Amino acid sequence: MSTDTVAQYVAEFLDGPLEGEFEHRVLVGGKPESRVGMVAAIDGLESLFWYDAVDEREVNGQVRVQFRFDAGDSDPVESDDEND
């Protein structure tokens, strides 16, 4: 019995703090998640960011899912625009 291949999909983050990032994720119950929580360090502080699936398609036999940032449910992202 071979388990060389794990059912995966590619998550593409369209906006928010992870804009432009891609990640290979494991299919859950044979399908991609409709919502993912991602932890990322912004300016040295870890924050939780929520993303919702907005598009799913197959490209060259691989499932690709695009996710949009949910600012309302995510930790606030504050940028310091102070002059040093």
Side-chain angles (χ1 to χ4, degrees), residues 44-82:
L45 298 173
E46 281 194 355
S47 300
L48 176 61
F49 303 117
W50 287 101
Y51 281 83
D52 296 310
V54 294
D55 185 49
E56 178 181 333
R57 63 191 180 285
E58 191 171 310
V59 178
N60 296 325
Q62 185 174 51
V63 176
R64 291 185 160 248
V65 180
Q66 293 181 320
F67 288 89
R68 287 244 178 246
F69 180 56
D70 183 345
D73 283 348
S74 298
D75 288 343
V77 178
E78 296 179 17
S79 60
D80 292 330
D81 290 333
E82 299 177 87

Side-chain angles (χ1 to χ4, degrees), residues 10-13 18 20-24 64:
V10 175
E12 175 185 0
F13 301 98
L18 301 177
E21 297 287 327
F22 290 85
E23 179 176 279
H24 285 87
R64 291 185 160 248

Side-chain angles (χ1 to χ4, degrees), residues 14-33:
L14 300 175
D15 56 0
L18 301 177
E19 180 177 357
E21 297 287 327
F22 290 85
E23 179 176 279
H24 285 87
R25 297 183 65 91
V26 176
L27 295 170
V28 177
K31 57 186 177 181
E33 300 137 299

